[in-house]
Amino acid sequence: MNTCKYDKCVERWGTFEAEMPGKSEGNPFTDYTIQGTFSCGAETKTVDGFYDGEGIYRIRFMPSFEGEYTFKVQGSFSEDVFTGSFKVMQASGDNHGPVRVSHTYHLAYEDGKPYYSIGTTCYVWELQSRELQKKTLETLADSAFNKIRFCIFPKHYDYNLGEPASYPYEGTPMDSSVLTPENFKEYDGCPKGNDFDYKRFNVKHFQHIDECIKKLMELGIQADLIVMHPYDRWGFSEMEPECDDLYWKYLIARVSAYRNVWWSLANEYDLFPKKTTADWERYADIVCEKDVYQHLRSIHNCRPFYDYSRPWITHCSIQRQDLYKSSELVNEWRERYKKPVILDEIAYEGNIQHGWGNISGKEMTRRFWEAFSRGGYPGHGETFMNEDNILWWSHGGELRGESPERFKFLKKIMDETPAPGLRPWEKAMWDETAATVDDCLGVHKYYLFYYSFMCPSFREYYFDDDTEYQVEVIDTWNMTIENRGRFKGKFKVEMPGREYMAVRIQEAK
């Protein structure tokens, strides 16, 4: 009888995995089925397994409760039915479960701990050299970032003309030696010269994706997976619907049991020449059905927004549409969509030729503070020219800009913000960005004022006659916090008369 290897103990929101031998004749990715049903008390979930090469099938499961789980795995992949049980222990360390929507506009881990997103974009960091990947993880470990956006497929674009470390399918690519910066655009989305079998996955590519997700999990970082994108010379963005759906189901079966996964259906969905809204809605149906854990889901734009009011979308993943305004529009987007607003692309700090990739560190930091003080959550990218043509935005490596150090300071302020997070304060003056806690019960008397590029030498405040408030003046660029003391009634706060200042006012303890 065939044997099943599996974990006998796993912690809550950890990843249980069982390994079983099975059929390998024909095409195991399409010819056979494998499903597992897991039960413990009130929880019963059925998930798909996947073929992992060399006659091995795997099934993964993320338990939501502590206790004794039983499982049964069966399908046409084997004549046997595999059963067993395992114990789920209490979550340990920084394991707070997957991130969920909280109080309409915010996010929190499943155990209730607030999650204030401060993300970065690093499109194909995991498809670079091992040395560069290691450097990227070291950089992330020393950063404020708790989310990273990256692609499953390799990317073809400016500064990305080389071949990736691996491909998602069995086969061979076109000869990239024909590519030059002058002619590369003619190969966009063109599979000519490629010889890939879009129904046979390269399991080593996906095994590596698994490992990268787990390493990010160890760092407490959410893996915002860009499942599809249009920057392609291998034909992956123009596969037939049958192959697209096979890819979606395979990826979900592999990685949905990792608690730190988010789904981004696409980067710049509107640039796909052959995808329609019906296609995106079909992919959404697949992920809603197959991801039994209901991880966060969104889709990213280039120009027009997708309809973020669609019920399957959990949060807005926004690329700014206006050359000048980005974070300033968070109020409008919150009201329009009634969902968390995550600005995944508000332009990148750098100095490349493209306008989306050459804002200053001060402007990037300003946009971050502007977003947070309006009840949104900002995202970073970096595109500095250098001799090696290694740009963080796509390759990872080291950060060169001035803003990431300021994000550490901002993250401290964010973490000190009462749950569930901030919302625009309806009594704000016309010349300030002001926020209070998004607390329907009014328990927290907490206010954050951000003055951006304005330079007031003082401001006056009034909230009520009875509450004593603690006042701090924050220099968001120089990263200092000055205690101004306690006040009641109407009071005046002296300020240094320079840019990028904030004032934090909260009920004195």
Side-chain angles (χ1 to χ4, degrees):
M1 181 175 177
N2 288 331
T3 58
C4 175
K5 300 177 183 178
Y6 62 93
D7 306 313
K8 302 301 188 295
C9 186
V10 65
E11 63 182 56
R12 186 184 185 191
W13 303 308
T15 304
F16 168 88
E17 179 174 299
E19 173 190 308
M20 295 140 289
K23 301 173 183 176
S24 56
E25 301 83 8
N27 183 354
F29 300 107
T30 59
D31 295 348
Y32 308 113
T33 61
I34 173 173
Q35 282 193 324
T37 298
F38 295 79
S39 299
C40 175
E43 179 173 56
T44 297
K45 285 186 168 71
T46 298
V47 299
D48 290 340
F50 59 93
Y51 183 64
D52 204 27
E54 298 181 349
I56 297 297
Y57 289 78
R58 300 185 191 279
I59 200 153
R60 292 172 178 159
F61 176 72
M62 183 183 70
S64 301
F65 301 97
E66 298 172 30
E68 191 83 12
Y69 274 78
T70 60
F71 69 89
K72 177 190 288 188
V73 180
Q74 57 191 333
S76 62
F77 79 103
S78 175
E79 304 302 326
D80 295 319
V81 175
F82 300 91
T83 60
S85 63
F86 59 97
K87 188 174 183 180
V88 177
M89 308 296 288
Q90 182 179 10
S92 62
D94 292 328
N95 175 3
H96 300 285
V99 175
R100 309 295 192 194
V101 173
S102 173
H103 295 77
T104 307
Y105 301 101
H106 305 286
L107 301 167
Y109 295 99
E110 193 159 305
D111 70 353
K113 178 182 172 66
Y115 171 82
Y116 299 138
S117 179
I118 187 163
T120 188
T121 292
C122 204
Y123 285 120
V124 283
W125 71 274
E126 85 287 10
L127 301 181
Q128 309 305 309
S129 69
R130 290 283 181 174
E131 180 182 3
L132 192 54
Q133 291 177 46
K134 182 174 182 290
K135 176 57 67 177
T136 302
L137 291 168
E138 290 172 351
T139 300
L140 289 170
D142 188 40
S143 76
F145 301 127
N146 58 14
K147 181 172 82 77
I148 182 171
R149 301 171 63 231
F150 64 100
C151 305
I152 306 299
F153 288 151
K155 183 180 180 182
H156 168 80
Y157 190 67
D158 284 1
Y159 312 105
N160 289 270
L161 303 183
E163 295 301 321
S166 64
Y167 301 94
Y169 296 96
E170 293 183 8
T172 56
M174 64 179 291
D175 180 5
S176 62
S177 66
V178 303
L179 295 173
T180 67
E182 290 72 33
N183 75 358
F184 85 92
K185 288 187 177 180
E186 69 183 83
Y187 292 97
D188 284 1
C190 177
K192 186 175 74 173
N194 293 309
D195 184 21
F196 287 108
D197 185 341
Y198 300 135
K199 293 185 179 180
R200 286 185 179 270
F201 298 103
N202 174 10
V203 296
K204 293 188 182 302
H205 178 91
F206 287 92
Q207 287 168 355
H208 180 61
I209 297 291
D210 296 343
E211 291 304 312
C212 289
I213 293 172
K214 288 190 283 187
K215 288 176 181 176
L216 293 169
M217 187 191 301
E218 292 169 1
L219 296 176
I221 297 174
Q222 303 296 302
D224 194 355
L225 302 180
I226 299 170
V227 183
M228 308 180 84
H229 69 81
Y231 299 103
D232 171 40
R233 66 172 181 268
W234 303 276
F236 306 143
S237 63
E238 297 189 6
M239 297 187 299
E240 294 298 317
E242 180 183 8
C243 298
D244 284 344
D245 295 359
L246 181 66
Y247 162 58
W248 267 101
K249 293 173 183 177
Y250 186 74
L251 182 63
I252 293 167
R254 288 201 72 109
V255 307
S256 63
Y258 297 122
R259 63 178 175 270
N260 62 324
V261 161
W262 296 21
W263 303 113
S264 178
L265 269 67
N267 191 72
E268 300 184 338
Y269 81 93
D270 48 310
L271 298 190
F272 286 77
K274 297 182 180 179
K275 304 298 184 195
T276 66
T277 300
D279 290 316
W280 300 118
E281 291 295 310
R282 189 179 77 255
Y283 308 145
D285 288 343
I286 291 172
V287 74
C288 288
E289 175 193 357
K290 295 295 185 179
D291 173 18
V292 299
Y293 316 104
Q294 299 299 297
H295 290 291
L296 296 179
R297 303 175 295 260
S298 195
I299 187 168
H300 173 267
N301 67 289
C302 179
R303 299 181 186 92
F305 289 162
Y306 203 86
D307 180 5
Y308 291 120
S309 65
R310 296 290 300 152
W312 63 265
I313 295 178
T314 59
H315 63 282
C316 305
S317 173
I318 284 178
Q319 176 172 190
R320 59 96 180 90
Q321 298 170 309
D322 186 277
L323 177 60
Y324 301 105
K325 291 183 290 186
S326 56
S327 304
E328 294 82 0
L329 299 174
V330 166
N331 302 46
E332 175 186 329
W333 296 329
R334 278 172 52 104
E335 286 305 306
R336 185 190 308 174
Y337 298 114
K338 301 291 194 294
K339 292 178 181 180
V341 173
I342 300 181
L343 292 93
D344 280 316
E345 199 168 340
I346 52 177
Y348 299 157
E349 181 181 1
N351 58 8
I352 62 173
Q353 74 274 31
H354 303 300
W356 50 261
N358 54 29
I359 66 171
S360 69
K362 285 186 175 180
E363 176 60 12
M364 176 66 83
T365 303
R366 186 197 71 80
R367 294 183 187 197
F368 264 61
W369 274 86
E370 190 84 40
F372 181 63
S373 58
R374 292 178 182 273
Y377 298 96
H380 155 272
E382 185 180 287
T383 47
F384 281 103
M385 297 290 294
N386 58 84
E387 292 180 0
D388 298 324
N389 265 350
I390 297 174
L391 284 66
W392 173 267
W393 134 92
S394 205
H395 308 108
E398 296 181 290
L399 290 165
R400 304 166 186 267
E402 296 180 292
S403 62
E405 197 63 29
R406 273 79 187 176
F407 299 156
K408 293 180 184 179
F409 180 73
L410 171 58
K411 187 64 165 58
K412 178 180 181 293
I413 302 294
M414 295 169 83
D415 289 341
E416 292 170 353
T417 301
L422 297 179
R423 65 169 171 81
W425 188 43
E426 62 277 3
K427 296 181 181 180
M429 300 296 289
W430 67 272
D431 59 348
E432 65 189 3
T433 301
T436 187
V437 176
D438 204 352
D439 175 10
C440 61
L441 299 178
V443 174
H444 299 286
K445 293 184 177 182
Y446 180 102
Y447 305 92
L448 183 67
F449 298 84
Y450 181 58
Y451 293 102
S452 186
F453 46 75
M454 292 174 283
C455 305
S457 60
F458 70 92
R459 294 290 291 195
E460 294 180 331
Y461 301 94
Y462 173 76
F463 303 99
D464 59 65
D465 293 322
D466 303 318
T467 307
E468 186 176 48
Y469 289 95
Q470 180 72 48
V471 178
E472 297 163 302
V473 172
I474 302 170
D475 187 325
T476 68
W477 183 252
N478 293 310
M479 299 177 287
T480 61
I481 302 176
E482 295 183 8
N483 185 353
R484 288 288 195 264
R486 299 187 175 198
F487 300 87
K488 273 187 179 181
K490 184 176 180 180
F491 56 90
K492 177 180 178 180
V493 177
E494 299 291 340
M495 297 179 67
R498 60 175 179 265
E499 296 173 308
Y500 313 126
M501 304 303 296
V503 177
R504 181 167 59 176
I505 301 174
Q506 53 191 317
E507 185 175 5
K509 304 298 182 184

